Amino acid sequence: MLQLPTCVHVFLGLGLLFLGTGCSMTSGASESPVPVVLAIHGGAGTLLREDMTPDKEAAYRAALEEALRAGHAVITKGGSAMDAVTATIRPMEESALFNAGKGAVLTHDERCELDASVMDGGTGLAGAVAGVSTVRSPILAARAVMDHSEHVMLSGAGAEAFATDQGLEIVPNSFFQTDRRREQLRQSIADEKHGTVGCVALDAAGHLAAGTSTGGMTNKRWGRIGDSPVVGAGVWAEDETCAISSTGWGEFFIRGAVAHDVAARMRYGGESLWDASRAVILGTLTDKGGTGGLIALDREGNVSAPFNTAGMYRGWIDAAGNVTIHIFR
Ligand code: ASP
């Protein structure tokens, strides 16, 4: 008999719950009334208001704001959208709150295996690493693949050898592991299946960039790779349309080429960012039983953050430094 990993059972459960409760019960979307320069997500999932203590919420809000301000500082000093994306994602990788870098979810074998990607909307270049277990910053490794190799995606031991050659910091796998994730693996808590991080940015030169970093899904095995390092699924950026970072049940995002689908609707169908991103997440993805969300930014600074889960950590910052953060619907 086919044995499904626990993560699949849990997500099937969530999917059925979702179908049972109907789209309007579990979907949400946010936008900003003023143009923004940078937006982030910290993962989507069954984030219930009743499970959130004031201290926990304050910690998440502080971490999201710290990340937004790190990227904003790059943009306001005239830095590139791409530099802003990596500067924003770094503190989230270092924070044990998110499922990226330190604090990443554990695999079936109780290890952390990390995926990350970046894409530059001005050049169309992209870089990604998949299944790395010793590179302290997967997002910087993805960036190095884009900047310093002729490839787009490197995986496993080869990606780690490349990162070492590039002078990136190498750490033991235990660096990423936390008790919270060990407990989560033991219990396979559905509520905790979130926390991938992502960033989209628009710089003063009008260029867009996007990046995504994750530990994937709890209890994954067999070298499973999700959507986060897959260009067109977990990440996309092109100056003509938008920058996207996705989070959710990766298999659905890969099969739906979700990030690219939003851009394609804009490019070929003339849809707005808001319409395209909602159609893909609240329409196509939802109809197929997938769960998750994305953040999207266009060249005018419009931001859209649709999701069909109970919550998605998300926030953005405008040029003046005004920060907005939302967690629930
Ligand atoms: N999309 C990630 C994956 O499937 C997980 C997540 O975003 O929570 O690996």
Side-chain angles (χ1 to χ4, degrees):
M1 195 181 120
L2 177 67
Q3 282 239 317
L4 295 174
T6 313
C7 59
V8 172
H9 286 302
V10 171
F11 266 103
L12 283 174
L14 283 177
L16 290 173
L17 177 70
F18 175 74
L19 288 174
T21 53
C23 173
S24 60
M25 295 294 291
T26 48
S27 61
S30 313
E31 61 179 340
S32 167
V34 297
V36 311
V37 293
L38 193 132
I40 57 175
H41 69 73
T46 320
L47 305 170
L48 298 178
R49 212 179 284 267
E50 50 269 33
D51 294 340
M52 184 65 87
T53 63
D55 283 357
K56 202 167 150 192
E57 179 166 346
Y60 273 103
R61 285 181 177 275
L64 291 166
E65 177 161 354
E66 180 195 347
L68 285 167
R69 296 215 178 276
H72 182 260
V74 173
I75 298 280
T76 51
K77 286 187 192 118
S80 69
M82 192 70 255
D83 283 345
V85 164
T86 51
T88 304
I89 289 179
R90 273 304 287 138
M92 291 198 281
E93 285 183 333
E94 291 293 308
S95 163
L97 293 175
F98 302 104
N99 173 19
K102 191 175 187 58
V105 298
L106 294 175
T107 65
H108 189 75
D109 300 327
E110 298 193 33
R111 285 159 43 81
C112 292
E113 293 175 2
L114 313 169
D115 308 326
S117 61
V118 293
M119 188 162 185
D120 185 316
T123 60
L125 294 174
V129 291
V132 295
S133 54
T134 61
V135 182
R136 179 163 180 163
S137 172
I139 200 72
L140 291 183
R143 175 81 188 266
V145 172
M146 180 179 84
D147 286 347
H148 304 300
S149 84
E150 56 187 9
H151 307 298
V152 171
M153 191 191 290
L154 301 179
S155 70
E160 286 164 358
F162 173 78
T164 306
D165 284 354
Q166 291 295 313
L168 294 179
E169 190 175 350
I170 301 298
V171 291
N173 195 254
S174 57
F175 170 83
F176 303 111
Q177 299 179 18
T178 60
D179 289 342
R180 172 184 163 212
R181 300 299 189 188
R182 240 171 250 119
E183 180 62 14
Q184 185 183 320
L185 176 66
R186 248 181 355 97
Q187 300 191 5
S188 274
I189 305 170
D191 296 7
E192 296 281 338
K193 286 214 175 11
H194 53 70
T196 291
V197 305
C199 176
V200 288
L202 171 66
D203 63 28
H207 296 306
L208 290 164
T212 306
S213 183
T214 190
M217 284 167 69
T218 300
N219 202 28
K220 66 183 182 181
R221 63 199 297 192
W222 305 309
R224 180 265 186 191
I225 305 293
D227 60 311
S228 306
V230 178
V231 174
V235 76
W236 187 258
E238 61 184 4
D239 283 359
E240 299 75 17
T241 55
C242 61
I244 306 266
S245 172
S246 313
T247 177
W249 191 351
E251 281 71 8
F252 284 86
F253 281 75
I254 295 173
R255 288 192 289 258
V258 163
H260 183 265
D261 197 23
V262 175
R265 281 176 166 270
M266 295 174 72
R267 180 183 272 266
Y268 305 125
E271 290 185 19
S272 68
L273 183 85
W274 176 248
D275 287 346
S277 59
R278 284 169 50 91
V280 171
I281 295 296
L282 307 182
T284 317
L285 178 81
T286 299
D287 292 347
K288 291 189 169 150
T291 49
L294 56 79
I295 45 163
L297 182 65
D298 71 13
R299 58 194 301 174
E300 267 86 53
N302 296 305
V303 64
S304 175
F307 54 97
N308 68 11
T309 46
M312 180 169 79
Y313 294 105
R314 59 203 186 278
W316 39 85
I317 188 163
D318 67 17
N322 298 305
V323 164
T324 303
I325 289 169
H326 294 296
I327 299 177
F328 307 105
R329 286 179 50 224

